[in-house]
Amino acid sequence: PIRVAVRIRPQSRKGESKACLYRAPSETPGEAVVVDSKMVRFERVFGPKSSQQDVYFGCGVGLVDSLFQGYNACLFAYGQTGSGKTHSMLGPDGGNKSNKTLNGLIPQITSEIFRRIFAQKVDADRLLGANMSSFELRASYIEVYNGLTYDLLSREQKRKPLQLRQEQSSNTSAISASIPHVHAPDAITIRVDTLKQLMSIIRRGSQNRQTQKTGMNLHSSRSHAILTLTLEHRWRMTNASPSKTTSEKAKQVEAEKSENQDDYTVVSRLSRLLMCDLAGSESYDHR
Ligand code: ADP
Ligand code: MG
């Protein structure tokens, strides 16, 4: 499913013209905004006073659930330059704020991912025994600028565009089979073990995006930044069905242990979460 939410940025003090978009009055059913006296409905509407936490609980935490259930998902921010995309995705100073309440979706989502990795590890060790279940998280961070794709994690001074490969999806569902899978096989992928490590990678990438010769905001407003997190869950069991609950797995593994120690199958499941801070939606000339 595709869900669309709107966040209305607060008016900035300095003589901005009248608001053209506002939240529909609360008597109206559902969530809607009013544009030019027309009402437009969305899954969620976050008003100008909404906090970073409101946006996370409305749009972020569900994606962490999906990731841990093995689903792929993509979250992107769309809107014109200055509308608050980077604020919502990262937060002020690229999610670098000592004041955590200003952290955007990416720092909040990644922090929850690590919290769950550690919590599940503790549970699995206790219920199943050590090393029966483990998670690995990998990150890559690329940008698409002027029709070319670059690696934001590259440490090279002069970054060369990445090669893209297109493959027909191996997925059998009709809808994904019709969409070719485009990826950059040479993009740097880093295994991350802590939130601190991941946030430092994200900061490095975001800085790479901003400090291009073309000028500070001009560049980032014209580039799409795509952070990909890949979660790999591996666990040992005798029956390769990933839909078992933890306690069912525990019972099964226990039964198996008493019979034959070596008779485990390692099962692994990959899921991806893409988070994109898109280029400004205004039209511009690439020159
Ligand atoms: P974009 O990435 O879409 O170009 P920014 O996220 O950089 O826009 O936002 C433009 C300015 O407005 C920034 O100074 C940002 O801090 C501020 N801003 C955006 N959204 C909000 C918000 N919801 N609350 C407070 N300030 C915001
Ligand atoms: Mg931005």
Side-chain angles (χ1 to χ4, degrees):
I2 297 173
R3 282 193 280 268
V4 185
V6 176
R7 184 181 200 182
I8 304 167
R9 173 170 70 67
Q11 295 269 92
S12 56
R13 285 121 285 170
K14 298 180 239 99
E16 210 170 30
S17 51
K18 201 164 126 282
C20 57
L21 178 92
Y22 53 95
R23 207 191 159 100
S26 53
E27 311 88 77
T28 32
E31 310 223 355
V33 293
V34 178
V35 198
D36 295 334
S37 73
K38 269 209 308 275
M39 187 117 88
V40 188
R41 278 176 205 292
F42 292 93
E43 225 90 28
R44 293 300 305 263
V45 175
F46 300 99
K49 292 209 182 85
S50 62
S51 68
Q52 297 287 64
Q53 286 70 38
D54 294 336
V55 176
Y56 169 70
F57 285 111
C59 298
V61 71
L63 298 176
V64 182
D65 295 338
S66 305
L67 187 69
F68 278 85
Q69 285 158 12
Y71 294 106
N72 297 332
C74 176
L75 167 69
F76 61 87
Y78 175 87
Q80 72 177 66
T81 301
S83 59
K85 296 181 298 296
T86 304
H87 179 86
S88 296
M89 294 300 285
L90 276 174
D93 297 340
N96 200 3
K97 271 268 183 259
S98 45
N99 182 353
K100 285 216 167 67
T101 60
L102 292 176
N103 274 344
L105 284 162
I106 289 175
Q108 293 188 84
I109 284 174
T110 49
S111 146
E112 177 61 13
I113 290 173
F114 277 108
R115 199 192 61 74
R116 291 197 195 184
I117 287 178
F118 291 124
Q120 297 212 8
K121 172 104 191 102
V122 170
D123 277 357
D125 285 358
R126 185 166 50 84
L127 288 164
L128 310 176
N131 302 320
M132 293 302 290
S133 164
S134 66
F135 286 95
E136 186 177 308
L137 191 70
R138 298 188 282 272
S140 71
Y141 201 10
I142 61 173
E143 77 173 331
V144 180
Y145 178 72
N146 206 357
L148 295 171
T149 306
Y150 298 90
D151 197 335
L152 286 173
L153 300 182
S154 164
R155 291 189 186 274
E156 276 161 41
Q157 281 298 319
K158 272 202 101 171
R159 292 181 300 146
K160 285 198 305 269
L162 288 165
Q163 297 290 318
L164 294 183
R165 288 242 187 88
Q166 211 181 75
E167 279 162 16
Q168 213 55 47
S169 168
S170 57
N171 197 310
T172 44
S173 99
I175 197 157
S176 50
S178 64
I179 303 168
H181 173 63
V182 178
H183 65 128
D186 301 330
I188 295 169
T189 301
I190 299 178
R191 179 187 167 154
V192 279
D193 295 311
T194 63
L195 178 62
K196 205 170 152 211
Q197 198 189 353
L198 178 54
M199 285 313 297
S200 111
I201 284 171
I202 292 170
R203 263 195 297 281
R204 193 172 100 210
S206 304
Q207 248 144 33
N208 259 339
R209 185 187 184 201
Q210 271 146 37
T211 54
Q212 300 290 302
K213 283 193 231 74
T214 31
M216 298 296 271
N217 241 330
L218 196 60
H219 179 92
S220 74
S221 73
R222 293 178 177 194
S223 90
H224 306 299
I226 306 166
L227 173 71
T228 304
L229 298 181
T230 306
L231 182 71
E232 181 169 7
H233 184 195
R234 292 163 159 274
W235 67 94
R236 296 206 256 169
M237 62 189 297
T238 48
N239 177 349
S241 153
S243 60
K244 290 263 192 310
T245 67
T246 311
S247 65
E248 279 173 314
K249 264 192 254 168
K251 273 194 218 113
Q252 185 173 22
V253 166
E254 217 158 49
E256 191 56 30
K257 253 189 213 155
S258 56
E259 283 166 33
N260 185 351
Q261 285 275 8
D262 303 322
D263 203 20
Y264 297 126
T265 316
V266 176
V267 186
S268 91
R269 182 168 72 187
L270 279 185
S271 48
R272 274 199 188 91
L273 176 58
L274 273 71
M275 294 183 272
C276 319
D277 188 0
L278 293 183
S281 59
E282 63 276 12
S283 54
Y284 49 80
D285 215 346
H286 266 305
R287 266 174 304 185

